[in-house]
Amino acid sequence: MRGRPCTCCFTGHRPEKLPWGDDESDPRCAALKQKILDAVEAAYDEGMRHFICGMARGCDFYFAEAVLALRQRREGVSLEAAVPCPTQASAWRPCDRERWRALLDQCDLETMVQEQYTPGCMLRRNRYMVDHSALVIAVYDGGGGGTRRTLEYALRRKVPFVDIPPVM
């Protein structure tokens, strides 16, 4: 098995690809957050203790928050931020930057994948996460983009994944 046997990473969509966008008060968003929390809990029950998040807006934030909630209830849970580059959040809205910083401050480990932005740094971050994991949790709508490429990479590396559709 590649990666760490007790490590799980996450891939998922940013708000622009979600039907509710940034409106987290939408009941569909609440339902998705619960599905992510359930998937994290199930991963824990399967032996996962270390969780890696790419720290992007949207589903990555939901995943990090679910792991932090799990850490409050269960033993031995750690959260790693796989940050693609130091400027990841610099162009975001202030509220998103503040949320990113607050989540980053609660992580047990921060891995800076590379020291400056390049067009391939997000892909490199995603490959780092898959290469260091035994399981991937994904929120995936079936379309193209980074989440699809991450899942294709996981398949090539024979890392199993749990697929959560964004709309139930």
Side-chain angles (χ1 to χ4, degrees):
M1 176 180 292
R2 266 195 83 66
R4 296 182 215 148
C6 62
T7 299
C8 172
C9 71
F10 178 80
T11 186
H13 299 305
R14 288 169 181 76
E16 296 79 15
K17 286 190 100 176
L18 299 171
W20 53 87
D22 284 315
D23 182 8
E24 292 185 40
S25 67
D26 188 297
R28 296 169 295 177
C29 183
L32 176 60
K33 287 180 178 184
Q34 184 61 53
K35 291 278 189 189
I36 292 171
L37 187 60
D38 293 345
V40 167
E41 188 85 37
Y44 181 92
D45 290 342
E46 292 174 18
M48 302 297 144
R49 296 297 182 270
H50 185 69
F51 296 85
I52 308 174
C53 180
M55 301 303 291
R57 294 167 38 256
C59 292
D60 280 16
F61 284 179
Y62 309 162
F63 174 76
E65 290 162 351
V67 172
L68 292 170
L70 179 72
R71 190 171 72 183
Q72 296 298 314
R73 298 188 318 274
R74 306 293 287 269
E75 294 288 322
V77 174
S78 60
L79 178 60
E80 176 182 351
V83 180
C85 63
T87 58
Q88 179 181 25
S90 62
W92 297 350
R93 299 177 307 176
C95 62
D96 291 329
R97 282 196 309 270
E98 289 167 17
R99 189 174 181 183
W100 178 81
R101 173 49 59 197
L103 290 170
L104 199 57
D105 288 346
Q106 296 177 74
C107 288
D108 301 285
L109 176 64
E110 179 182 335
T111 300
M112 188 66 60
V113 177
Q114 60 186 58
E115 291 305 316
Q116 63 184 26
Y117 173 82
T118 63
C121 70
M122 304 302 174
L123 175 65
R124 189 169 177 213
R125 182 258 333 258
N126 296 342
R127 288 184 173 186
Y128 166 84
M129 293 190 306
V130 171
D131 286 343
H132 290 83
S133 296
L135 177 68
V136 177
I137 296 174
V139 171
Y140 179 54
D141 66 4
T147 300
R148 180 186 186 116
R149 286 190 296 277
T150 302
L151 291 176
E152 288 170 347
Y153 184 72
L155 284 170
R156 286 195 306 274
R157 305 301 271 180
K158 298 184 180 6
V159 178
F161 63 88
V162 174
D163 184 20
I164 302 170
V167 181
M168 285 37 90

